[in-house]
């Protein structure tokens, strides 16, 4: 006999109730009997009906009993609220306890019917349809997440009820005995501390769980120390700790803001990571010095050894990278100090034209190769623009503290090189601003050519406005702010260099913030801060350089080590042939294009410096890591292209010192050679 749908629902309800609510001794028998009934074996039709009716009566009786208990709880709550013999703490505790029990009963009933609804939906689905099963799995996952939130909220309420119970017991004890003066003082302090915790508590969980885009996910909480693993659950909950959380996507999280802000905490993972990087950077830097390489490569090797492709001992990768960004900021500030506006005025035409011509030529070559290899237009444009950038921190290390001066109307090669690199930093901000347009183009979201042209013109206008606003800010600061500000710093910092350090750092961060607000790269703001200070004279520049350079050197170690965290030697070894070919092709292409462009824009008496400048530009900037990561997250490039960009960038940076040495040796007279290690 084929049962109808209502009969199926009643049977499922009875099975759920018998499985969850009947006495433990009956579980195995009921389950086995239900299986036999479902298969049509071992029972007559009358026995099946009798079994079904009995379990339905049990379910009906449980639901009726639940309603009776709810009515009794409501009456009990009213009685507690009207009882004059109870204190407010006791009333709060008892009412809270009754309400929690009411919620527990309602949630238990809802879970039964939700299980029945889920089983019915699964039976109605097509087991061959993967999409349908995926949607069913997603719905079950959402239901579990909602249940987890409710259970977490209930657990928090139980903790609060327990706290109210303790408060009620303390009040009863205080009423039964007289308190000493010390006890009264401590009681007042306790109440003040409770108020303080309530005031500073953020309620981030409750405030954010209903926001659109916020997902509830299952995470693992990992205790690093064996001592913590052997402690009880209560001790773990009360621990100061910074336990690691790992989600289903293998992302790892560390506590950033504790619930109780009155207790100081420290991220010991981050401290250990920084200590390890600094200690290992010393021997790596020594080795590079001994073999004639810049020390920055030793720091990169340190990051490779300690990163995911090596010992994998760095736990706080994001925090290390964040601290490393300050190394970029201070490096570009020092570059700005060494690059005075007077030197910029002499080469501004070359600095403006050279990078623009090179970028256009790189994009043209990229489009040509993309057409031949059938690569998407947006991907070709992005890769070409990304590879056209060169490393300002690396070249500033090469130039190391100055260069040959002008003579006989010749142009200083360091001024040309740094000017072109500064213009590329400006282009970096333009690439970041243009990236949303590339995302739209890759998705073909625009509806017509006319609208796309309007979008491009609007974006170009925003970029030009940002650059003009940045220029006006620099003019105003140089005219009205820099002079008085430095004189005040110099007066206050006599015998106390920390005021000078803090004042200069604050000015760097001010320019950084302003350029970010104007949608220009923060790196450009740091460079402009150094250039503005250098305009005040050589003595001021030397004084500030003496206090900022040690900070720059330490943070630069962290920055180059953070680059090493994203270098994967195994990938390079697997694809060594193709990576060497691509790297040599990019380096030679950039060198040739730079020579051609500089041959057109340099004066005749300064043509010889084109080889040195071209050698300095023939590598790929480490900021391609930043652009590549953003493009990969946005879907402009694939994972494979991203890894190729990282590898080509790393190999080009490794080849840069050798190319620079050759250019300096061949093109610069011996007394004027300068190469920083």
């Amino acid at each position: 006999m084929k049962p109808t749908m209502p009969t199926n629902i009643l049977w499922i309800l009875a099975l759920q109730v018998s499985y969850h609510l009947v006495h433990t001794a009956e579980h195995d028998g009921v389950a086995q009997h239900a299986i036999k009934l479902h298969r049509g074996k071992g029972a007559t039709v009358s026995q099946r009906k009798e079994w079904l009716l009995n379990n339905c009566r049990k379910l009906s009786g449980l639901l009726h009993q639940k309603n009776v208990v709810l009515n009794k709880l409501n009456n009990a709550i009213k009685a507690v609220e009207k009882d004059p013999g109870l204190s407010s703490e006791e009333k709060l505790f008892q009412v809270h306890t009754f309400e929690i029990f009411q919620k527990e009963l309602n949630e238990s009933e809802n879970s039964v019917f939700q299980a029945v609804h889920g089983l019915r939906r699964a039976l109605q689905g097509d087991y061959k349809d993967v999409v349908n099963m995926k949607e069913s799995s997603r719905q079950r996952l959402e239901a579990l997440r909602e249940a987890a939130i409710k259970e977490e909220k209930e657990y928090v309420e139980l903790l609060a009820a327990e706290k109210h119970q303790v408060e009620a017991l303390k009040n009863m004890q205080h009423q039964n005995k007289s308190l000493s003066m010390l006890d009264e003082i401590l009681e007042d302090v306790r109440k003040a501390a409770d108020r303080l915790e309530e005031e500073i508590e953020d309620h981030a969980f409750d405030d954010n769980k209903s926001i659109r885009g916020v997902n509830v996910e299952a995470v693992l909480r990992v205790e690093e120390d064996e001592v913590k693993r052997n402690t009880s659950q209560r001790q773990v909950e009360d621990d100061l700790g910074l336990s690691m959380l790992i989600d289903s996507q293998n992302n790892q999280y560390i506590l950033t803001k504790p619930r109780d802000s009155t207790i100081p905490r420290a991220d010991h993972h981050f401290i250990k990571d920084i200590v390890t990087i600094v200690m290992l950077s010393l021997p790596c830097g020594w080795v590079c010095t001994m073999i004639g390489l810049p020390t920055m490569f030793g720091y990169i090797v340190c990051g490779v050894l300690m990163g995911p492709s090596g010992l994998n001992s760095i736990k706080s990768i994001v925090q290390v990278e964040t601290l490393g960004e300050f190394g970029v900021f201070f490096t570009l500030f020092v570059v700005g100090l060494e690059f005075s506006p007077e030197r910029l005025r002499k080469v501004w035409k070359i600095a403006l034209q050279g990078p623009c011509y090179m970028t256009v030529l790189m994009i043209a070559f990229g489009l040509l190769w993309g057409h031949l290899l059938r690569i998407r237009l947006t991907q070709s444009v992005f890769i070409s623009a990304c590879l056209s950038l060169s490393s300002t921190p690396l070249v500033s290390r090469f130039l190391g503290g100055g260069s040959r001066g002008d003579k006989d109307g010749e142009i200083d090669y360091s001024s040309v090189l740094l000017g072109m690199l500064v213009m590329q930093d400006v282009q970096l901000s333009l690439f970041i601003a243009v990236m949303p347009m590339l995302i739209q183009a890759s998705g073909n979201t625009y509806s017509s050519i006319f609208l796309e042209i309007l979008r491009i013109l609007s974006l170009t206008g925003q970029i030009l406005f940002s650059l003009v606003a940045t220029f006006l800010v620099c003019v105003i600061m140089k005219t009205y702010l820099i002079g008085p500000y430095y004189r005040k710093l110099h007066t206050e910092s006599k015998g106390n260099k920390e005021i000078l350090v803090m004042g200069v750092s604050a000015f760097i961060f001010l320019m950084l913030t302003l350029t970010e607000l104007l949608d220009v790269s923060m790196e450009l703001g740091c460079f402009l801060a150094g250039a503005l200070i250098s305009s005040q004279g050589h003595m001021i520049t030397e004084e500030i350089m003496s206090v900022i350079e040690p900070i720059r050197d330490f943070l630069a170690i962290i920055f180059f080590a953070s680059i090493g965290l994203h270098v994967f030697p195994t990938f390079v070894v697997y694809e060594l042939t193709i990576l060497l070919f691509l790297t040599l092709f990019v380096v030679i292409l950039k060198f040739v294009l730079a020579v051609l462009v500089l041959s057109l824009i340099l004066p005749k008496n300064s043509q010889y410096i084109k080889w040195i400048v071209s050698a300095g530009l023939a590598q790929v900037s480490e900021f391609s890591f930043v652009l590549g990561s953003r493009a990969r997250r946005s879907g402009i490039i694939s994972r494979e292209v991203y890894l190729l960009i990282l590898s080509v960038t790393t190999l080009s940076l490794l080849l840069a010192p050798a190319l620079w040495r050759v250019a300096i040796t061949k093109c610069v007279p011996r007394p004027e050679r300068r190469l920083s290690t």
Side-chain angles (χ1 to χ4, degrees):
M1 183 177 71
K2 187 176 181 180
T4 60
M5 183 59 70
T7 305
N8 280 333
I9 295 175
L10 289 175
W11 177 82
I12 294 169
L13 284 172
L15 180 60
Q16 292 285 336
V17 174
S18 62
Y19 188 77
H20 291 286
L21 302 175
V22 180
H23 194 269
T24 306
E26 301 176 357
H27 281 188
D28 293 337
V30 171
Q32 293 175 3
H33 190 54
I35 293 172
K36 290 180 179 180
L37 289 175
H38 178 66
R39 294 177 178 176
K41 298 178 182 179
T44 62
V45 176
S46 60
Q47 287 177 332
R48 295 177 192 175
K49 291 182 178 180
E50 183 180 359
W51 178 85
L52 188 61
L53 291 174
N54 289 336
N55 284 284
C56 289
R57 292 192 188 98
K58 291 180 180 179
L59 176 60
S60 177
L62 287 172
L63 295 178
H64 176 72
Q65 185 178 358
K66 174 247 181 184
N67 292 328
V68 173
V69 172
L70 286 179
N71 292 329
K72 290 183 178 180
L73 288 174
N74 289 327
N75 295 330
I77 291 174
K78 294 177 181 178
V80 168
E81 291 176 347
K82 296 178 180 179
D83 191 350
L86 297 176
S87 63
S88 58
E89 289 82 4
E90 292 174 325
K91 288 182 179 180
L92 183 61
F93 165 69
Q94 293 188 19
V95 170
H96 203 171
T97 304
F98 293 152
E99 290 176 348
I100 291 174
F101 190 52
Q102 285 179 329
K103 292 181 181 178
E104 177 69 22
L105 293 174
N106 291 326
E107 290 298 328
S108 299
E109 180 184 4
N110 291 334
S111 63
V112 173
F113 290 100
Q114 286 176 359
V116 173
H117 178 69
L119 182 56
R120 181 199 298 175
R121 186 173 62 249
L123 291 173
Q124 292 174 347
D126 184 3
Y127 68 91
K128 294 182 180 180
D129 188 358
V130 178
V131 177
N132 180 65
M133 289 191 291
K134 178 182 176 182
E135 179 63 22
S136 299
S137 177
R138 187 192 64 80
Q139 293 179 2
R140 289 194 300 271
L141 186 59
E142 290 295 331
L144 289 173
R145 288 170 175 171
E146 293 178 2
I149 291 179
K150 292 178 181 178
E151 196 65 32
E152 188 74 26
K153 184 177 180 181
E154 182 176 336
Y155 179 73
V156 172
E157 290 178 350
L158 287 171
L159 292 178
E162 183 182 18
K163 183 178 179 181
H164 295 153
Q165 184 183 22
V166 173
E167 294 288 338
L169 293 175
K170 287 183 178 180
N171 288 331
M172 292 177 61
Q173 293 175 358
H174 293 164
Q175 292 175 0
N176 296 331
K177 66 177 182 179
S178 59
L179 298 177
S180 64
M181 182 180 296
L182 178 61
D183 292 334
E184 291 180 355
I185 294 174
L186 292 177
E187 180 64 19
D188 291 338
V189 171
R190 182 186 62 80
K191 293 180 179 180
D194 291 340
R195 287 195 299 270
L196 175 63
E197 288 185 355
E198 292 176 359
E199 292 173 358
I200 65 177
E201 191 169 1
D202 204 0
H203 298 288
F205 185 84
D206 294 331
D207 295 340
N208 289 283
K209 66 183 181 182
S210 59
I211 297 178
R212 180 179 299 177
V214 174
N215 295 323
V216 179
E217 295 187 3
V219 297
L220 301 177
R221 178 173 177 173
V222 180
E223 300 293 338
E224 291 297 321
D225 297 334
E226 291 293 336
V227 176
K228 290 184 179 180
R229 293 178 184 176
N230 295 328
T231 55
S232 64
Q233 179 68 23
R234 180 66 180 176
Q235 287 173 314
V236 171
E237 292 170 358
D238 294 337
D239 186 35
L240 302 180
L242 294 168
S243 304
M244 184 181 298
L245 300 181
I246 306 175
D247 66 8
S248 59
Q249 303 298 320
N250 294 323
N251 297 310
Q252 300 178 10
Y253 304 90
I254 298 292
L255 179 66
T256 58
K257 184 178 181 181
R259 179 184 63 85
D260 186 0
S261 301
T262 60
I263 302 176
R265 289 172 171 84
D267 188 349
H268 295 287
H269 294 295
F270 182 51
I271 295 174
K272 291 178 182 178
D273 292 341
I274 296 300
V275 170
T276 304
I277 289 174
V278 173
M279 291 177 63
L280 188 60
S281 295
L282 178 60
C284 292
W286 271 347
V287 172
C288 288
T289 303
M290 292 170 60
I291 63 178
L293 288 175
T295 53
M296 57 167 287
F297 289 105
Y299 309 148
I300 294 176
V301 171
C302 171
V304 174
L305 293 176
M306 306 306 296
S309 58
L311 300 177
N312 197 23
S313 63
I314 302 298
K315 302 298 183 183
S316 305
I317 292 181
V318 175
Q319 288 80 355
V320 171
E321 292 175 347
T322 303
L323 183 61
E325 285 298 310
F326 286 91
V328 178
F329 298 155
F330 280 90
T331 296
L332 293 176
F333 172 73
V334 172
V335 172
L337 284 178
E338 296 175 347
F339 190 70
S340 63
E342 287 74 18
R343 294 169 65 186
L344 181 61
R345 293 192 193 99
K346 296 177 183 179
V347 298
W348 73 271
K349 289 184 179 180
I350 300 173
L352 181 64
Q353 295 174 1
C356 293
Y357 293 156
M358 286 188 62
T359 302
V360 171
L361 291 175
M362 284 289 292
I363 293 177
F365 271 93
L367 291 175
L368 175 62
W369 281 100
H371 176 71
L372 295 177
L373 299 176
R374 297 182 180 179
I375 302 175
R376 292 201 320 267
L377 178 65
T378 54
Q379 187 167 309
S380 300
V381 172
F382 172 81
I383 295 174
S384 304
C386 187
L387 297 179
S388 68
L389 300 176
S390 301
S391 174
T392 302
L394 176 65
V395 175
S396 66
R397 291 274 179 158
F398 289 163
L399 297 176
S403 61
R404 57 187 295 274
D406 300 344
K407 65 178 183 180
D408 299 330
E410 296 177 358
I411 296 178
D412 181 6
Y413 70 83
S414 65
S415 298
V416 174
L417 186 53
L418 287 177
M420 295 181 70
L421 290 171
V422 170
M423 188 59 200
Q424 287 189 349
D425 289 335
V426 176
Q427 290 179 345
L428 173 66
S429 64
L430 302 184
F431 295 158
I432 294 176
V434 171
M435 193 169 291
M437 186 184 71
L438 292 177
I439 297 173
Q440 293 179 354
S442 63
N444 294 323
T445 57
Y446 46 88
S447 56
S448 66
I449 298 177
F450 178 73
L451 292 178
E452 183 61 16
I453 293 175
L454 289 180
R455 188 179 292 109
I456 294 174
L457 293 176
S458 174
L459 181 62
T460 304
Q462 293 175 7
I463 294 172
L464 293 177
F465 173 78
S466 299
L467 294 177
V468 171
T470 302
F471 175 76
L472 292 177
V473 168
C474 292
V475 171
I476 293 173
M477 285 195 169
K478 181 184 177 183
T479 306
Y480 300 104
L481 180 63
I482 294 297
Y485 181 71
Y486 178 77
R487 286 193 294 270
K488 181 66 174 176
L489 279 180
H490 183 73
T491 302
E492 298 294 335
S493 64
K494 289 182 179 180
N496 188 6
K497 292 298 182 182
E498 65 183 47
I499 296 296
L500 181 61
V501 173
M502 294 304 299
V504 174
S505 301
F507 181 68
I508 297 172
F509 298 149
L510 173 63
M511 291 298 299
L512 179 153
T513 304
L514 290 176
T515 52
E516 184 186 23
L517 291 175
L518 293 172
D519 291 329
V520 184
S521 68
M522 296 185 290
E523 291 78 12
L524 180 61
C526 298
F527 175 85
L528 293 175
L532 288 173
I533 292 180
S534 68
S535 66
Q536 301 301 305
H538 180 71
M539 297 297 295
I540 295 176
T541 300
E542 291 295 327
E543 182 182 11
I544 293 178
M545 186 80 74
S546 64
V547 297
I548 292 297
E549 270 194 320
I551 302 175
R552 187 275 311 267
D553 292 338
F554 176 78
L555 293 174
I557 294 173
I558 309 299
F559 169 68
F560 288 114
S562 68
I563 291 179
L565 298 177
H566 299 283
V567 176
F568 306 100
T570 53
F571 178 78
V572 176
V573 172
Y574 293 153
E575 304 294 336
L576 183 60
T577 303
I578 184 66
L579 290 176
L580 285 177
F581 172 77
L582 291 176
T583 303
L584 291 175
F585 177 78
V586 171
V587 170
I588 294 173
L589 178 63
K590 293 190 70 173
F591 181 82
V592 172
L593 291 181
V595 170
L596 291 176
V597 170
L598 291 173
S599 299
L600 297 176
I601 61 178
L602 282 175
K604 292 183 178 180
N605 59 347
S606 301
Q607 283 289 321
Y608 72 95
I609 70 171
K610 64 185 178 183
W611 307 105
I612 309 173
V613 176
S614 300
L617 296 175
Q619 27 74 23
V620 183
S621 173
E622 65 282 347
F623 289 114
S624 62
F625 295 160
V626 179
L627 291 174
S629 62
R630 293 190 181 186
R632 182 185 173 187
R633 288 195 301 267
S634 304
I636 298 176
I637 61 175
S638 62
R639 178 192 62 178
E640 293 76 13
V641 174
Y642 173 70
L643 290 176
L644 288 175
I645 291 176
L646 293 187
S647 302
V648 169
T649 300
T650 303
L651 293 177
S652 69
L653 293 175
L654 290 174
L655 291 176
L659 185 59
W660 179 260
R661 282 180 182 275
V662 172
I664 289 291
T665 303
K666 299 294 184 181
C667 303
V668 179
R670 184 175 297 275
E672 297 173 351
R673 296 176 189 172
R674 296 179 183 269
L675 178 61
S676 171
T677 58

